[in-house]
Amino acid sequence: MTHGIALVGCGSAVPAASVSNALLSERVDTNDEWIRTRTGIGARRVSGPDEPLTVLAARAAEAALAHAGWSAEDLDLILLATSSPDDLFGTAPRVQAAIGANRSVAFDLTAACSGFLFALITAGQYLATGAMTRALVIGADQLSRWVDWDDRRTCVLFGDAAAAVAVEACPAESTGLLGFRMRSDGSRNGCLTLAQTAEHAPLLADLTAQRGGFAPIQMNGQEVYKFAVREVPAILAELLDATGTRADQLDWLLLHQANQRILDAVADRFQVPHGRVLSNLAHYGNTSAATIPLMLDEAVKDGRVQPGHLLASSGFGAGLSWGGALLRWSGPQG
Ligand code: ACO
């Protein structure tokens, strides 16, 4: 690898409507106390008919471009991490058209709640080899489309959002991606699915074809919880070890926002004070591929994350998939 990767801008966009736990309990048999105690979630955003994924992702992209001081024409690559595309053939090209990034190639990457981290690492490889110079990595999801709003075990957890990070090639010695790890375990896929429905339609006399369609999210919450509190600390420990980093050198833990209890368990494992664990679950819930850049954008814009800060990040979720990255925030250049 000849180049490093600098994280130079970020932006986000959320739907207008916020649904508090109290409001949700008018729709499904739940209550604020149960949801807050078990998850830390207080409210989530839900997209309306005029807020398709493309619109939210394009707003986040434009905010990140403005923060980086770039024009859309500067982009070589747009990578959109999502599990809830507007178009199964790919939503990134729609975002490309919406923001006028005419020179770039744009495509989707699907890895559920690990999607943003996997996309950031993937984009980083194009920059590291010198094949590309400037990329926008977007995490965007609208799981409100795919939850069963009558299933209280899942619908309380998720929300909608889009967020983006601008990354550019830089000298190797000043890289902002100091190390990474990525894993999948498809043998545990059944723990958390948004799966194709097994519908069939007669096509010819002796041929039955499949019919497209997806069932709402199915989750074994306790298995997912156990997976997260075992695998996230393990992969972060491996990453810290490989990069020669001590936990007390970290400025922030920037974890996928699934559940406050998971964030606390990971922090305790590394003896990171809870004040250095970024969390905005209370306002947005689990926005899947969007959580990490949404949290980063909030913490950069309110001044908590400063240029030069070291962050240990981990994404984890359906697949099952999980990963870790050691990041240094650069901020806008000049
Ligand atoms: N409101 C009120 N009661 C509820 C609700 C609700 N929203 N949901 C479940 N309950 C009830 C159940 O019916 C059950 O009642 P019962 O004992 O009378 O049958 C009781 O609460 C306990 O249910 P459990 O499912 O055992 O609850 P648990 O303590 O495991 O908590 C939770 C559930 C919060 C989902 C937890 O398992 C968890 O956090 N898992 C991680 C899952 C996760 O974060 N998924 C996100 C997607 S994946 C990712 O991003 C990593």
Side-chain angles (χ1 to χ4, degrees), residues 53-283:
L53 193 84
T54 304
V55 165
L56 283 189
R59 278 174 46 205
E62 281 169 345
L65 288 175
H67 187 224
W70 295 356
S71 89
E73 298 276 343
D74 294 334
L75 290 174
D76 300 309
L77 170 68
I78 297 172
L79 207 39
L80 173 64
T82 188
S83 306
S84 45
D86 288 340
D87 182 337
L88 284 179
F89 284 153
T91 302
R94 294 187 184 202
V95 176
Q96 176 207 25
I99 68 172
N102 303 323
R103 276 196 331 103
S104 66
V105 61
F107 56 94
D108 293 11
L109 182 153
T110 300
C113 302
S114 311
F116 175 80
L117 205 76
F118 283 14
L120 180 68
I121 293 163
T122 302
Q125 306 315 297
Y126 293 105
L127 305 188
T129 58
M132 295 181 182
T133 304
R134 285 182 164 178
L136 204 54
V137 183
I138 308 170
D141 265 311
Q142 293 184 324
L143 293 187
S144 65
R145 295 179 190 177
W146 295 109
V147 291
D148 174 353
W149 287 104
D150 294 317
D151 177 5
R152 67 180 183 174
R153 291 167 303 130
T154 53
C155 74
V156 302
L157 302 175
F158 299 104
D160 302 342
V165 172
V167 288
E168 75 179 335
C170 69
E173 58 276 15
S174 51
T175 191
L177 178 59
L178 295 121
F180 65 84
R181 290 285 186 277
M182 301 158 84
R183 298 266 199 287
S184 309
D185 179 3
S187 72
R188 288 188 275 171
N189 179 261
C191 290
L192 183 54
T193 55
L194 201 179
Q196 162 87 347
T197 46
E199 284 185 45
H200 302 119
L203 180 62
L204 298 169
D206 58 352
L207 180 61
T208 298
Q210 301 182 55
R211 198 201 305 269
F214 294 87
I217 294 171
Q218 301 289 318
M219 181 182 74
N220 181 331
Q222 293 186 1
E223 284 304 313
V224 173
Y225 185 85
K226 282 190 270 177
F227 147 73
V229 297
R230 185 171 54 238
E231 302 294 5
V232 175
I235 206 163
L236 286 178
E238 216 183 280
L239 183 64
L240 294 181
D241 196 41
T243 54
T245 310
R246 294 188 321 274
D248 65 11
Q249 292 176 301
L250 298 172
D251 293 295
W252 301 104
L253 270 184
L254 172 60
L255 307 178
H256 167 54
Q257 308 278 301
N259 182 316
Q260 189 61 44
R261 290 190 300 157
I262 296 175
L263 302 191
D264 293 344
V266 177
D268 291 345
R269 159 70 179 74
F270 293 103
Q271 297 176 328
V272 170
H274 290 194
R276 285 201 277 128
V277 183
L278 295 169
S279 173
N280 62 6
L281 271 162
H283 305 296

